[in-house]
Amino acid sequence: MKLDKDFFSENIKTLFYALIIAIVIRSLLIQPFYIPSSSMEPTLLVGDRLFVTKYSYGYSKHSFPFSPPILNKRILFNSPERGDVIVFKTPADNRTDYIKRLIGLPGDRVQFIDANLYLNNSEIMKSRVKNKLEINCGSRTIDVYRFEEKLSNGKKFHTVYLKDYTYQNSDVFTVPEDHYFFLGDNRDCSKDSRFLTSVGYVHKDNLVGKAQFIFFSSDRKIGSIFAFWKWPKSIRFNRTFNRIN
């Protein structure tokens, strides 16, 4: 059987062009992410898959696969808003992807007093949500209170706190220039900016993109995005970023 060199050549070209297009889309437009931990419950569950827009805050080297040193600063920068759910590279290694909620902007002062969150000396208001919810912390199921919190810009979202409020008081975290302060919605089961040596303040160049919507959920009541309009309104409100942000 005679091999057609043109056939192989055309297929290699097609695969090459497809790879280039995929890299461009992933780097400049949108990228899927998988949620591996419970630190953002109840907003995000382990196993959820979501799309993150790369263009929301401009571009840095971390916008590209393997973070090549092709940009020494962020370009086309758009400032994130308080309450955004954001994927970023951890400052500790500039390699690991974390997803958390943005709480503190540059210059802000963040503090926990008696298990209540304060921003610039004003308490973040929260109201108790009484519906029953199973929340995980790693492999454990934990006993929590669920709240709806409201930030100063009007953004609302749900958070959970252990019923014994293990994280009660903290020092004042003063966010440096060009940095941001992040918290997980599962407040007592999240390694976030409160842990200065492992996460800490996140530089704007480490921002990867903004979480937009879940396209597949491990929650059996939800399933895939194709079943969206069959979800109860209460679930749609709490499990889609365009509604809660």
Side-chain angles (χ1 to χ4, degrees):
M1 180 177 178
K2 186 177 179 180
L3 297 177
D4 187 343
K5 292 182 180 180
D6 290 338
F7 173 80
F8 284 105
S9 176
E10 290 301 318
N11 276 275
I12 290 173
K13 287 181 181 179
T14 300
L15 290 173
F16 175 76
Y17 292 142
L19 179 62
I20 294 299
I21 292 171
I23 291 175
V24 170
I25 291 174
R26 183 183 183 278
S27 301
L28 302 181
L29 298 177
I30 193 167
Q31 181 180 349
F33 279 88
Y34 169 84
I35 303 302
S37 76
S38 53
S39 68
M40 280 295 291
E41 292 192 14
T43 307
L44 294 170
L45 307 181
V46 175
D48 280 356
R49 289 166 173 81
L50 64 147
F51 282 123
V52 169
T53 48
K54 307 296 279 293
Y55 53 81
S56 295
Y57 312 123
Y59 304 96
S60 72
K61 66 179 182 179
H62 296 304
S63 302
F64 303 92
F66 309 111
S67 301
I70 58 178
L71 293 174
N72 58 12
K73 63 179 181 178
R74 183 168 289 274
I75 62 173
L76 304 176
F77 178 59
N78 293 309
S79 298
E81 295 184 12
R82 203 188 312 278
D84 285 355
V85 177
I86 297 175
V87 173
F88 59 88
K89 299 289 185 182
T90 53
D93 61 12
N94 289 304
R95 185 178 66 248
T96 306
D97 290 316
Y98 270 33
I99 183 167
K100 306 289 180 184
R101 190 177 299 277
L102 174 59
I103 299 297
L105 302 177
D108 281 347
R109 299 180 306 281
V110 183
Q111 187 178 21
F112 279 87
I113 302 175
D114 296 329
N116 296 308
L117 175 61
Y118 284 74
L119 183 63
N120 298 322
N121 299 322
S122 296
E123 183 180 351
I124 298 299
M125 302 310 296
K126 61 180 186 285
S127 55
R128 179 87 173 272
V129 179
K130 293 185 178 180
N131 58 314
K132 190 175 181 180
L133 187 70
E134 184 176 287
I135 295 295
N136 299 300
C137 183
S139 60
R140 298 182 296 117
T141 299
I142 55 178
D143 200 15
V144 299
Y145 291 124
R146 182 177 181 175
F147 297 93
E148 181 184 80
E149 294 188 359
K150 182 179 180 180
L151 298 177
S152 56
N153 59 359
K155 289 193 175 183
K156 299 178 182 179
F157 50 90
H158 284 195
T159 60
V160 291
Y161 292 75
L162 282 171
K163 288 187 175 180
D164 59 0
Y165 294 106
T166 56
Y167 192 88
Q168 297 224 5
N169 297 287
S170 73
D171 293 331
V172 178
F173 298 98
T174 302
V175 186
E177 182 181 0
D178 291 333
H179 287 72
Y180 297 94
F181 187 93
F182 290 89
L183 291 175
D185 290 349
N186 192 351
R187 291 287 161 78
D188 292 297
C189 186
S190 174
K191 183 178 289 187
D192 46 42
S193 291
R194 293 171 288 183
F195 299 86
L196 295 179
T197 57
S198 53
V199 181
Y201 309 112
V202 178
H203 193 274
K204 68 180 184 181
D205 289 349
N206 283 55
L207 305 183
V208 174
K210 180 180 180 181
Q212 294 289 358
F213 65 89
I214 300 164
F215 67 86
F216 177 85
S217 177
S218 58
D219 188 337
R220 287 177 294 178
K221 295 190 295 293
I222 298 175
S224 74
I225 191 65
F226 301 106
F228 176 83
W229 294 112
K230 297 180 181 178
W231 303 349
K233 288 185 179 179
S234 60
I235 297 175
R236 280 185 297 186
F237 177 83
N238 292 311
R239 302 281 285 123
T240 54
F241 293 101
N242 289 334
R243 293 290 300 278
I244 65 174
N245 289 332

